[in-house]
Amino acid sequence: MTAPRNRARVRAPELTGDHWFNTGGERIRLAGLRGRITLLDFWTSGCVNCLHVLSELRPLEAEFADVLVTIGVHSPKFLHEGERAAVEAAVSRYGVHHPVLNDPDLTTWSQYAVRAWPTLVIVDPEGYVVHTAAGEGHAEALRRVITELVAEHEAKGTLRRGGSPYVPGDERDGDLKFPSKAVRTDRGTLLVADTAHHSIAELAADGETVLRRFGTGEPGHADGKQPRFTEPSGIALLPSEVAAKAGYHAVVADTAGHLLRGLDLDTGEVTTVAGTGAQWMNGETDGKALGIALSSPWDVAWWEPAGGIVVAMAGNHTLGLFDPVTGEVSRFAGTTVEGLRDGPAQEAFFAQTSGFAVDGDRLWLADPETSALRWVDAGRTVHTAVGTDLFSFGHRDGAAGDALLQHPLGVAVLPDASIAIADTYNGAIRRYDPEAKTVSTLASGLAEPSGLLVDGDELIVVESAAHRLVRIPAAAGEHVDGGAHEVRRPPAVLAPGDLDFSVVFSPPPGEKLDDRYGPSTRLEISASPPELLLSGAGVGTELTRRIRLADGITDGVLQVVAQAASCDDGAEHPVCRVTRQDWGLPVRVAAGAERTLELILAGA
């Protein structure tokens, strides 16, 4: 539906949290921002869509530097994300150059009635909320809203230019900065994705001595012998016969560049082998790899049963398949709906897959947003070993059905065929025994371990937030029962039976819905458990729908994907863009509760 642009003016609530970053220790109050346009970015560091928005906002921050103040409101999903040290690390890791408020109890989140990560809110120079948008792809809409506000408040005399509350934090020096993954070459050296240095470092076998570096250290996209990467993560070595045909030895997941890069270890030359450099939002997923957009490829692995490189497409919750010989890419698994659903690969739900390990005919994977360990078999069926849903996590060992992880990013196959898990937000290395179906803890007290590499009877751990590689014994350690936790995000309380559901979308100033080639909007709804939704599931083109919730299921999740296409109004050659958001909305069903549910994709 298209919402009216002029709703009742709402005064922006005060910003409340436990600590400010990038302000030199000063607390920011909205009263001190009067006269400036304020953009609030509600984000959390483990959400890949939030990271996309950080990139989208940078050009706007530069363009409107004299009138716009961006403030990140870090409202965590996981317990670890709310810790002060974790937020400080995330601000440094992702190059956040604006003030950030830590909102660990979701206080400011609740005051602004936010329902999704990421959500953007614009506050005008007089302190009123004038625009809200959830999801990605809003950069041009924000530009137009801000441009209108500048003109309006300059005419009224209520616009104040100049002055910024941003104070840069300390930068870290060292050989590695937030590394993510590592692999061993046939020469015995280690290739490490030095993520925040935007490069690939080749280390000696000691895991410390830097032998050479691929990448200038500046983010960007450039091939050749002076290449540029943008936050690379996963690395996969090709089988020798495949490398000979492809013309390079390794494939690098250039995560924030939305590319796959080929690395020739003999010449040091880097080539782009997949992706356009644009983030996939809608459209084709199969075809010539250099003509298909990717979405935050986070890890890559050569898997013989698939006949190519499987790509963890974290940005749209799917798995891709890249053939380095033919130069083709295709959708291997997933639907783009974020969640946990097993079964045939093309129907399965994933949740920001970020780590792979190959064990013959099994491809193991870490799904961090569902805190899950999963695998795909050679018949392309998806299974879950540990994990239940988008909102349950913890550090609990024991039977796999009861065990809990917290946002794992890496996996490795141990010599005894058990699976080591980089349990990132628990700061631990866990072990899953596929025969006994049990989980134990090998090590704890690590700083965001993100990648694992087996070396005999030891594990090399990429300890990302400690900026180093460390070795630990690959043997049984302690038993931990840290209890169960749930995301503290408040659920939507809804009545059983029929419910009027709607997604609000207002095209930005100067744009209209793009219906030249058919419907301009799309809405997909599913539920976990599926029995929660008696009717109204499926895909449609209207952003309003009557759905029916079951009576007798008290808690669940509505999984909603909405998108809208809009174009410049009246232009001879209009520029068009897609806005998209994926909600995993916790709901509680109770008699006498609300019978309407409205989500905002973009609106006043």
Side-chain angles (χ1 to χ4, degrees):
M1 65 180 292
T2 300
R5 291 196 57 81
N6 296 312
R7 293 185 172 185
R9 279 161 61 88
V10 176
R11 177 70 70 180
E14 191 53 81
L15 304 176
T16 304
D18 78 344
H19 191 78
W20 283 92
F21 301 88
N22 286 349
T23 66
E26 297 295 320
R27 176 183 176 182
I28 296 177
R29 295 183 180 274
L30 287 178
L33 299 176
R34 293 291 168 80
R36 306 293 298 278
I37 299 166
T38 302
L39 173 59
L40 304 179
D41 175 18
F42 288 86
W43 70 298
T44 188
S45 56
C47 159
V48 69
N49 311 95
C50 300
L51 306 185
H52 295 164
V53 168
L54 288 176
S55 297
E56 290 178 2
L57 294 182
R58 288 187 181 106
L60 288 176
E61 293 177 90
E63 180 179 352
F64 296 101
D66 62 336
V67 295
L68 178 68
V69 175
T70 302
I71 294 176
V73 182
H74 190 272
S75 304
K77 173 180 177 180
F78 294 97
L79 283 179
H80 173 76
E81 290 175 315
E83 296 172 5
R84 187 175 299 185
V87 181
E88 184 176 25
V91 168
S92 174
R93 182 195 302 263
Y94 298 115
V96 180
H97 294 157
H98 53 246
V100 173
L101 171 65
N102 189 25
D103 179 28
D105 298 320
L106 303 185
T107 302
T108 300
W109 163 290
S110 298
Q111 289 175 337
Y112 279 83
V114 175
R115 289 188 181 271
W117 295 278
T119 290
L120 300 162
V121 176
I122 293 181
V123 180
D124 74 9
E126 296 178 294
Y128 290 94
V129 174
V130 294
H131 185 79
T132 299
E136 311 172 52
H138 296 290
E140 182 57 30
L142 295 172
R143 176 177 286 108
R144 296 184 184 216
V145 172
I146 293 167
T147 299
E148 276 196 350
L149 288 173
V150 169
E152 175 188 345
H153 288 275
E154 203 153 42
K156 291 172 64 175
T158 51
L159 185 70
R160 174 167 59 90
R161 294 181 178 271
S164 170
Y166 169 63
V167 178
D170 295 332
E171 287 296 322
R172 181 189 181 277
D173 293 325
D175 288 334
L176 300 177
K177 185 177 181 182
F178 296 107
S180 55
K181 308 287 184 186
V183 297
R184 187 193 315 281
T185 72
D186 58 9
R187 309 169 194 187
T189 61
L190 304 177
L191 290 180
V192 180
D194 193 4
T195 303
H197 278 150
H198 308 289
S199 62
I200 305 299
E202 185 172 14
L203 306 185
D206 62 9
E208 297 180 1
T209 306
V210 178
L211 302 176
R212 58 176 170 166
R213 188 177 292 275
F214 308 95
T216 65
E218 293 295 321
H221 177 204
D223 287 339
K225 294 185 179 180
Q226 293 294 317
R228 287 189 175 191
F229 298 89
T230 308
E231 298 177 19
S233 185
I235 308 169
L237 293 172
L238 296 176
S240 57
E241 65 277 11
V242 177
K245 295 177 182 178
Y248 49 87
H249 302 94
V251 174
V252 177
D254 194 6
T255 305
H258 309 294
L259 299 166
L260 298 183
R261 316 290 290 279
L263 173 58
D264 187 320
L265 294 174
D266 293 332
T267 66
E269 190 164 359
V270 171
T271 55
T272 300
V273 297
T276 64
Q279 178 193 339
W280 183 91
M281 295 290 284
N282 189 40
E284 294 297 324
T285 59
D286 299 9
K288 287 296 181 182
L290 290 173
I292 300 294
L294 309 180
S295 186
S296 292
W298 206 284
D299 202 6
V300 282
W302 175 266
W303 192 36
E304 194 64 41
I309 292 283
V310 182
V311 184
M313 213 75 74
N316 64 11
H317 315 296
T318 65
L319 308 183
L321 181 63
F322 168 61
D323 187 327
V325 177
T326 65
E328 301 276 338
V329 70
S330 60
R331 173 77 56 78
F332 178 75
T335 68
T336 78
V337 174
E338 183 181 23
L340 192 154
R341 185 170 77 183
D342 292 340
Q346 293 292 326
E347 301 172 13
F349 293 169
F350 298 90
Q352 205 173 299
T353 305
S354 299
F356 285 139
V358 171
D359 185 17
D361 61 0
R362 285 190 178 187
L363 177 69
W364 291 92
L365 59 94
D367 255 7
E369 287 296 284
T370 50
S371 295
L373 171 68
R374 309 175 74 188
W375 85 89
V376 185
D377 64 29
R380 300 197 178 187
T381 300
V382 180
H383 311 263
T384 297
V386 182
T388 55
D389 56 49
L390 282 164
F391 302 106
S392 301
F393 62 93
H395 188 164
R396 186 166 66 194
D397 290 333
D402 298 321
L404 294 168
L405 311 170
Q406 184 180 185
H407 199 85
L409 291 178
V411 285
V413 181
L414 295 172
D416 65 357
S418 63
I419 308 301
I421 309 159
D423 193 6
T424 308
Y425 283 179
N426 279 324
I429 307 302
R430 313 287 291 282
R431 176 182 177 270
Y432 170 69
D433 184 334
E435 293 297 323
K437 293 182 172 54
T438 57
V439 175
S440 57
T441 297
L442 298 180
S444 57
L446 299 165
E448 296 190 3
S450 300
L452 299 171
L453 179 62
V454 176
D455 186 20
D457 59 358
E458 290 186 317
L459 269 173
I460 298 175
V461 179
V462 183
E463 194 179 5
S464 186
H467 317 288
R468 64 181 183 177
L469 275 58
V470 296
R471 292 175 179 268
I472 67 167
E478 56 187 327
H479 179 93
V480 175
D481 185 0
H485 302 283
E486 291 185 347
V487 174
R488 288 168 293 176
R489 175 182 172 186
V493 183
L494 304 171
D498 289 342
L499 180 146
D500 290 322
F501 178 88
S502 62
V503 174
V504 174
F505 178 76
S506 293
E511 291 190 16
K512 65 178 181 179
L513 289 171
D514 178 21
D515 55 5
R516 294 171 299 162
Y517 308 108
S520 57
T521 57
R522 180 182 184 275
L523 176 64
E524 180 176 357
I525 303 177
S526 57
S528 178
E531 296 78 21
L532 172 66
L533 201 54
L534 295 178
S535 65
V539 179
T541 59
E542 297 294 328
L543 294 183
T544 59
R545 188 179 301 181
R546 176 67 64 86
I547 66 176
R548 178 174 293 178
L549 300 181
D551 192 359
I553 298 178
T554 56
D555 293 278
V557 178
L558 284 179
Q559 294 149 323
V560 180
V561 181
Q563 66 184 46
S566 59
C567 289
D568 293 336
D569 191 5
E572 183 178 355
H573 301 289
V575 176
C576 300
R577 49 195 65 85
V578 174
T579 303
R580 176 186 172 93
Q581 170 62 2
D582 187 324
W583 287 269
L585 185 69
V587 299
R588 180 156 298 149
V589 181
E594 292 291 327
R595 292 194 174 276
T596 62
L597 177 61
E598 179 183 274
L599 301 178
I600 296 178
L601 183 58

